[in-house]
Amino acid sequence: NAGVMQNPRHLVRRRGQEARLRCSPMKGHSHVYWYRQLPEEGLKFMVYLQKENIIDESGMPKERFSAEFPKEGPSILRIQQVVRGDSAAYFCASSLGPNTGELFFGEGSRLTVL
Amino acid sequence: AQTVTQSQPEMSVQEAETVTLSCTYDTSESDYYLFWYKQPPSRQMILVIRQEAYKQQNATENRFSVNFQKAAKSFSLKISDSQLGDAAMYFCAPNNAGNMLTFGGGTRLMVKP
């Protein structure tokens, strides 16, 4: 399957722990986007990365959240000291380039904070 | 900043009938795309249809078509011959430079057998 792969699909954390969500883009794609979906809401843009660079992080909370897309390996969204309000579905999408009009989504990672 | 309004939180349609989901948006971009995504209970985001803003012709994909009114910033989705499998949340989303999408709040479509 050459689609966007996210893992884990489900993650449970206790308050104060760290959550790491991984995203492997489609083969050949070097642009990755992270979105968050709270219950009963639409997806909200968080961050846009290209290999080794953060292009736009205007949707990222200022504290506890970080993202990276290293030269080798998947993109990682990291949430430190999780709180209950971080419980959501986190979607990754990838594209071949900027403004191509083609964005492919993974199946999402559902984070539950107890 | 872009804003997207989907004014119908829920819609219902009889199987085999036609339904239209509305979407209005605001953008300062001059060149952009508009998308409709479907999210079934599995929560996967599935692209339904895409429209390029510079094209006047409305996009069509099988039973799905759009009514794109650029001046009015309106982008509605028409589903013809509705099927039970069409039941899902539908999200409208324009993009800005860089493929970053702004999603509306969604419309839940129910299909009655």
Side-chain angles (χ1 to χ4, degrees), chain A residues 25-70:
Chain A
M26 281 186 70
K27 188 175 181 180
H29 286 193
S30 59
H31 297 252
V32 165
Y33 310 79
W34 284 93
Y35 288 82
R36 177 166 65 176
Q37 185 178 33
L38 297 172
E40 304 303 319
E41 293 188 10
L43 280 69
K44 296 285 195 297
F45 167 76
M46 299 181 75
V47 62
Y48 165 31
L49 309 104
Q50 195 180 354
K51 280 288 186 181
E52 299 184 275
N53 291 306
I54 296 175
I55 308 300
D56 188 316
E57 56 182 347
S58 57
M60 286 279 269
K62 293 289 185 281
E63 297 177 350
R64 302 187 297 107
F65 285 73
S66 63
E68 63 176 9
F69 189 16

Side-chain angles (χ1 to χ4, degrees), chain A residues 1-109:
Chain A
N1 186 341
V4 178
M5 304 300 293
Q6 290 189 247
N7 69 82
R9 292 292 310 281
H10 300 276
L11 182 64
V12 179
R13 285 287 179 265
R14 297 191 180 279
R15 282 178 295 171
Q17 292 184 320
E18 178 179 288
R20 283 189 181 222
L21 309 176
R22 296 174 195 77
C23 169
S24 295
M26 281 186 70
K27 188 175 181 180
H29 286 193
S30 59
H31 297 252
V32 165
Y33 310 79
W34 284 93
Y35 288 82
R36 177 166 65 176
Q37 185 178 33
L38 297 172
E40 304 303 319
E41 293 188 10
L43 280 69
K44 296 285 195 297
F45 167 76
M46 299 181 75
V47 62
Y48 165 31
L49 309 104
Q50 195 180 354
K51 280 288 186 181
E52 299 184 275
N53 291 306
I54 296 175
I55 308 300
D56 188 316
E57 56 182 347
S58 57
M60 286 279 269
K62 293 289 185 281
E63 297 177 350
R64 302 187 297 107
F65 285 73
S66 63
E68 63 176 9
F69 189 16
K71 187 176 180 181
E72 302 290 337
S75 175
I76 295 175
L77 180 67
R78 181 182 178 203
I79 312 172
Q80 296 177 289
Q81 299 175 315
V82 296
V83 301
R84 287 215 174 110
D86 297 333
S87 295
Y90 292 83
F91 287 88
C92 170
S94 75
S95 69
L96 198 56
N99 208 29
T100 57
E102 288 191 300
L103 204 60
F104 298 87
F105 280 87
E107 294 184 333
S109 292

Side-chain angles (χ1 to χ4, degrees), chain B residues 35-76:
Chain B
F35 303 86
W36 277 97
Y37 279 90
K38 169 185 176 181
Q39 188 177 44
S42 67
R43 304 197 73 83
Q44 171 99 43
M45 294 294 287
I46 301 167
L47 177 63
V48 174
I49 198 164
R50 180 183 77 167
Q51 173 81 41
E52 294 164 82
Y54 70 87
K55 287 188 177 178
Q56 291 188 331
Q57 186 173 6
N58 289 322
T60 299
E61 287 287 341
N62 300 314
R63 298 182 296 107
F64 299 88
S65 61
V66 300
N67 183 1
F68 175 45
Q69 303 289 329
K70 188 173 184 178
K73 294 182 178 173
S74 169
F75 183 58
S76 61

